[in-house]
Amino acid sequence: MSDEDNRADMVAEGIPERRFGFWRRCYAMMVKEFIQLRRDRVSFAMIVMIPVLQLLLFGYAINTTPRNLPTAVLLQEDSDLARSVLKALQNTAYFHFTREVHDVTEFDDLLLSGKVLFGVEIPRGFERAVRRGDDPALLVAADATDPIAAGSALSALSVIVQTALAHDLFVGDHPSPPFEIRVHARYNPASSSRLNIVPGLVGTILTMTMLIFTALSVTREIERGTMENLLSMPITPIEVMLGKIVPYVIVGFIQATLIIGIGVILFGVPLLGSLTLLAALSTLFITANLAIGYTFSTIAKNQLQAMQMSIMFFLPSILLSGFMFPFAGMPVWAQYIGEGLPLTHYLRIVRGIMLKGATLENLQYDSIDLLALMLLAMTVAVTRFRRTLD
Amino acid sequence: MTATTPSRADIAIDVHGFSKSFGGREVVHDLSMQVKRGTIYGFIGPNGSGKTTTIRMLCGLLTPDSGEGTCLGYDIRRDADKIKRQVGYMTQRFSLYQDLSVRENLEFVARLYGVRDARATAREMIKRLGLNGREEQLAGELSGGWKQRLALGACTLSNPQLLLLDEPTAGVDPKARRDFWNEIHALAARGLTVLVSTHYMDEAERCHEIAYIAYGHVLVHGTVDEVIAKSALTTYTVTGDNLTTLSAALSGKPGIDMVAPFGTSLHVSGRDKSALDATIAPLREQHGVHWQHSEPSLEDVFIELMTRSKDNFQ
Ligand SMILES: Nc1ncnc2c1ncn2[C@@H]1O[C@H](COP(=O)(O)OP(=O)(O)O)[C@@H](O)[C@H]1O
Ligand SMILES: [Mg+2]
């Protein structure tokens, strides 16, 4: 093609084809970002390693069906029934009686020091109370700082004890044990279910990686000096932003698929709701995080600052979104902050869809909030983007 | 196009009273310049004199604090977007993507300018630049000369009407420098306007017009001959023995503004011809030394301008 032909092209495109030019420039930017990402081994490794590592670390904990958890027994009565109950507990293989103690202080100390995870207390007059039909309490204290370990043992407790005792007792036809199992989850009263972990991980991993990817994108161009060239060419802030975000939407999507896939296949997390809805809203969440990271990038003076901003955003996301602590249990001010974080909404979405089979109708408010947060971040980014070197 | 039609179709750059300060320090002061279409305009000046800053203002990368003007007929303050479509800017520091290959960089630029067939255009450019066989090499791995060719290729890819080249040949070997200038002349012959900053004298002499800028002030402008004529400098070329002793003896004497060795000769210049002549009169009689009245070279003029501007602005 000769130069004259090129010039003719330019003239022919001119102003009427502006809109077409918009997509062309976005495309140019995307291709460039893709190539750079492909060449950047560290980033590339991060895309795969972060989700896989996190999942394996957490997954290990999830996957370990707790066995032989050290348990102390506070035996206030030495009766046949008490012995049967203890034997039934031990037979479950969840509990392993390492200590038999005789006073409450020792019992508490053991739990506090972490020497045992559980304490079973059989109160004085237990057998007699059962025979009288008084429904006495069998006290099980659990160190719930490790909710995963404690949770599954406790959830199995009642059923196991009932079946184990069924043939042992004259009250075998009762629908429930003739005594009450009173569980005290100590230190972490709201032990979260293991099923919450995988959906929660999808959200936190995506938040972390997406933020970091785009948070560095503009500052990197400035620090490498390529921004000067970029700004001297006819490209608008929106085009730069879309070009820098879209490739990572695909990256985020792959990450999400990886995590959810492993969660469902390896750890048996259910996926009750629509996969399409999950994919669509995950994409929205991914884009929102990318937009926020990109916004940091337009505000920060250098890569270090951009990184610090991302961490400052990531920490409250972990703490106040309901990932770490149940959202409803947080103080109101913390809940307000939480509502401003994409992760909060996404946790509701992903838990809702996977664990409860929620529909878009159930999740419309969280979806709208996510969309609003994304648009807000994008607007800030486009207005903050410096078009000159001033 | 009606409102932005150039007032004078033959003027590519027309700016008046440009000033720019960074943190209270004025680095460009009341700068005016006119560049005719199709000419190669040299922007000469020592480091830190404001060349890059001026070029950046011309293509909308920096906003002037005061002053106005047009670039290709478009208002510099209002129509930066339109200017960018028609201008190719080669930055002083290589600013293409080091982690993209030659081909990828060119395709990226072609797409940004909306060139219809970006691949073909990039291929064509690679051929023209003589970069065949290196198209898949990463830009960051190219040598200085090749980087510079690539950068020139990238900024001419969109067939701009105006090229802004900021010290394009810094750190490039003489052969590559010569090829580069031949290329620039070829482009200008096709009607392109080229504004090029440099501090090489031989390059200044290859420009149609030059402006000398120091401490943000344009000290002189015009063709090379005009600039030399304007300088009102009297120069003698001295050849012979013991020039070093002579040079030491002359420095600082009345009427002597500049003594500079040029190979085996010495250039002695001064603005005040009578004072200069009076000072050198006794020395002209010395044996073994030959004094010849000569035209000052462009370098003499610039060095003199620089010495003078140092007194004025510092
Ligand atoms: N962005 C900036 N911020 C602060 N000072 C700057 C900036 N850009 C240039 N300068 C200063 O302005 C002066 C002129 O710089 P420049 O235009 O790059 O000169 P040249 O290109 O002629 O070497 C220099 O002293 C430089 O330090
Ligand atoms: Mg410079």
Side-chain angles (χ1 to χ4, degrees), chain B residues 52 92 166-167:
Chain B
T52 301
Q92 181 171 354
D166 195 0
E167 294 192 28

Side-chain angles (χ1 to χ4, degrees), chain B residues 158-176:
Chain B
S158 62
N159 283 296
Q161 298 189 39
L162 171 65
L163 278 187
L164 303 173
L165 310 175
D166 195 0
E167 294 192 28
T169 56
V172 169
D173 67 69
K175 166 79 168 66

Side-chain angles (χ1 to χ4, degrees), chain A residues 266-326:
Chain A
L266 279 189
F267 304 133
V269 178
L271 206 171
L272 302 177
S274 151
L275 187 59
T276 322
L277 181 64
L278 182 61
L281 293 181
S282 296
T283 308
L284 179 63
F285 172 68
I286 288 164
T287 317
N289 277 308
L290 290 170
I292 290 168
Y294 184 77
T295 307
F296 292 158
S297 191
T298 57
I299 296 171
K301 293 256 181 303
N302 51 47
Q303 298 205 39
L304 181 67
Q305 261 189 20
M307 206 67 192
Q308 287 166 336
M309 286 181 183
S310 307
I311 292 169
M312 291 288 285
F313 185 81
F314 184 63
L315 285 182
S317 288
I318 294 273
L319 296 174
L320 303 181
S321 62
F323 174 71
M324 214 71 137
F325 313 113

Side-chain angles (χ1 to χ4, degrees), chain B residues 56-101:
Chain B
R56 283 175 174 168
M57 287 193 283
L58 290 175
C59 62
L61 284 180
L62 286 176
T63 324
D65 295 339
S66 63
E68 47 220 287
T70 59
C71 203
L72 300 169
Y74 298 116
D75 187 281
I76 282 178
R77 288 177 183 278
R78 284 199 323 263
D79 299 325
D81 288 338
K82 287 181 187 140
I83 293 173
K84 283 176 187 175
R85 284 167 196 275
Q86 316 258 5
V87 169
Y89 172 39
M90 180 171 163
T91 54
Q92 181 171 354
R93 205 180 119 195
F94 184 74
S95 61
L96 289 170
Y97 296 97
Q98 312 248 9
D99 51 350
L100 256 56
S101 71

Side-chain angles (χ1 to χ4, degrees), chain B residues 109-121:
Chain B
V109 173
R111 287 192 189 107
L112 278 196
Y113 281 100
V115 173
R116 194 150 291 161
D117 189 348
R119 275 167 198 270
T121 311

Side-chain angles (χ1 to χ4, degrees), chain A residues 196-261:
Chain A
N196 271 340
I197 295 287
V198 167
L201 269 186
V202 185
T204 44
I205 292 174
L206 285 177
T207 303
M208 180 160 67
T209 48
M210 295 300 103
L211 273 181
I212 289 173
F213 279 133
T214 42
L216 299 182
S217 63
V218 173
T219 41
R220 185 164 46 211
E221 297 245 8
I222 292 171
E223 280 178 28
R224 290 186 184 172
T226 52
M227 191 51 108
E228 186 175 5
N229 194 43
L230 190 62
L231 289 178
S232 76
M233 295 193 279
I235 188 165
T236 63
I238 295 184
E239 291 155 3
V240 175
M241 179 178 74
L242 292 182
K244 279 180 173 290
I245 284 183
V246 170
Y248 291 105
V249 173
I250 298 165
V251 168
F253 199 82
I254 294 171
Q255 282 194 329
T257 312
L258 206 68
I259 307 165
I260 293 173

